Amino acid sequence: MNIATPVVADDSWTVAGRTFRSRLIVGTGKYKDFAQNAAAVEASGAEIVTVAVRRVNVSDPKAPMLTDFIDPKKITYLPNTAGCFDADSAVRTLRLAREAGGWDLVKLEVLGEARTLYPDMRETLKATETLVKDGFKPMVYCVDDPIAAKQLEEAGAVAIMPLGAPIGSGLGIQNRVTIRLIVEGAKVPVLVDAGVGTASDAGVAMELGCDGVLMNTAIAEAKDPIMMARAMKLAVESGRLAYLAGRMGLRRYADPSSPLAGLI
C-alpha cells in the first residue's frame, strides 16, 4: 500500500448542514500576536476558529484585527460566549455577533463560576432554547454528563461539546467513560472542548469516537505553538483512523503474537 494515499478517501463531518474535512477546531486567544495565531491555524489545518465576541476588536478600525490575519472567507469563524455567566448575557452577546457578522453557527458557553470555569447547565440549557428559537445553530459547551448532553440535543443544539477537563488546565480527558457514553447516545456531532494539553489527549478524544476536538491553550501556550499545532493535526488524524480501524480487545493476560501450535 502506498502510505501517501489516504486510508479513508472522504472522512468529512457535517454540523448544521456545513461540511468540514479537518476535525480540529482552534481558538484565537493567548497567542503573542495575530500573526502567530494565523501561523498556528495554518499548521493545524483547521477550517474553523472560535472567537470570543466579548474580547475581539470589532469597533476600532485603527487597531489590528483578527480578520486581517485569518481570512473569514477561507476559515469559518465560530463566535463564542466566553466570559458569560448567565443565559441572558450569552444570548445578548451572540445577537450582537450576528448583527456584526451575520453568524448563526455559534458556540455557546455559560460558565458557573470564575474559579473552575465549569458550565452552569441550567443557564446553558435556558440559553440553548432561546437561541434555537431565535434562529441560531448553537454548538454547546457542557459538562461530561450523558443526560445533560441529551437534554441539550433535544433542545436543538447542533453539536455537543463536553469538557475533557477544566478549561485551560491541560489535564487531558479525565473521564473516558462519560465521553464514550455521550458519543454513543448522540445524534449530533460530539467534540471534546477544554482540557486537552498535548497530542496524546487529542488522540484519546478521537479514539473514543468523538467527531472532533476544540483547543486553544494547548497550542497557544506551547513553547513552540506552530510545532504543537502540527502535532495536534496529526494526533487528531491518527486518533480518528484508530477509531475507524477498530482497536483490539482488551485482555487480562498475555496472548502470544506467534501461534504456539506446532512448536518443536
Side-chain angles (χ1 to χ4, degrees), residues 13 28 45 60 72 76 100 102 108 110 116 121 126 131 155 164 196 215 258:
W13 67 288
T28 54
D60 184 359
T76 297
L108 172 67
V110 184
T116 63
M121 292 311 300
K126 177 181 173 184
L131 290 169
V196 168
M215 66 185 71
S258 301

Side-chain angles (χ1 to χ4, degrees), residues 118-179:
Y118 255 61
D120 180 327
M121 292 311 300
R122 181 171 57 184
E123 291 292 296
T124 297
L125 184 58
K126 177 181 173 184
T128 300
E129 293 170 342
T130 300
L131 290 169
V132 170
K133 289 178 183 176
D134 216 7
F136 286 95
K137 299 171 182 177
M139 300 172 67
V140 187
Y141 168 65
C142 61
V143 293
D144 56 335
D145 175 355
I147 305 304
K150 183 55 66 175
Q151 290 172 340
L152 289 173
E153 184 179 330
E154 291 170 350
V158 298
I160 305 300
M161 307 181 77
L163 56 84
I167 290 174
S169 67
L171 291 171
I173 295 175
Q174 295 297 293
N175 197 332
R176 301 184 186 193
V177 174
T178 51
I179 297 294

Side-chain angles (χ1 to χ4, degrees), residues 24-248:
L24 176 58
I25 300 175
V26 299
T28 54
K30 299 186 176 181
Y31 290 91
K32 71 175 185 179
D33 53 37
F34 288 146
Q36 185 187 64
N37 195 167
V41 170
E42 183 175 359
S44 74
E47 297 171 296
I48 305 174
V49 296
T50 183
V51 181
V53 178
R54 301 183 73 185
R55 297 177 188 145
V56 71
N57 170 36
V58 294
S59 59
D60 184 359
K62 297 179 181 178
M65 299 186 73
L66 183 65
T67 50
D68 295 332
F69 295 84
I70 300 175
D71 188 351
K73 293 179 181 178
K74 297 179 180 178
I75 302 292
T76 297
Y77 274 49
L78 185 68
N80 73 46
T81 57
C84 292
F85 290 85
D86 60 76
D88 291 342
S89 63
V91 170
R92 185 167 58 251
T93 296
L94 291 176
R95 284 173 176 164
L96 288 171
R98 183 164 63 181
E99 289 178 13
W103 293 289
D104 60 353
L105 181 63
V106 295
K107 181 196 163 188
L108 172 67
E109 56 183 81
V110 184
L111 306 176
E113 60 175 13
R115 184 176 67 88
T116 63
L117 298 181
Y118 255 61
D120 180 327
M121 292 311 300
R122 181 171 57 184
E123 291 292 296
T124 297
L125 184 58
K126 177 181 173 184
T128 300
E129 293 170 342
T130 300
L131 290 169
V132 170
K133 289 178 183 176
D134 216 7
F136 286 95
K137 299 171 182 177
M139 300 172 67
V140 187
Y141 168 65
C142 61
V143 293
D144 56 335
D145 175 355
I147 305 304
K150 183 55 66 175
Q151 290 172 340
L152 289 173
E153 184 179 330
E154 291 170 350
V158 298
I160 305 300
M161 307 181 77
L163 56 84
I167 290 174
S169 67
L171 291 171
I173 295 175
Q174 295 297 293
N175 197 332
R176 301 184 186 193
V177 174
T178 51
I179 297 294
R180 179 179 54 78
L181 290 173
I182 290 171
V183 169
E184 289 179 357
K187 293 183 174 65
V188 297
V190 176
L191 301 93
V192 161
D193 176 14
V196 168
T198 190
S200 56
D201 300 330
V204 167
M206 299 308 298
E207 288 171 9
L208 290 171
C210 291
D211 295 277
V213 184
L214 189 154
M215 66 185 71
N216 184 67
T217 308
I219 296 175
E221 290 193 356
K223 292 181 179 178
D224 186 331
I226 314 306
M227 189 180 294
M228 184 61 81
R230 173 66 174 164
M232 292 300 189
K233 176 182 188 294
L234 297 173
V236 168
E237 291 175 354
S238 63
R240 175 64 178 171
L241 286 177
Y243 172 73
L244 293 175
R247 66 157 293 149
M248 62 169 283

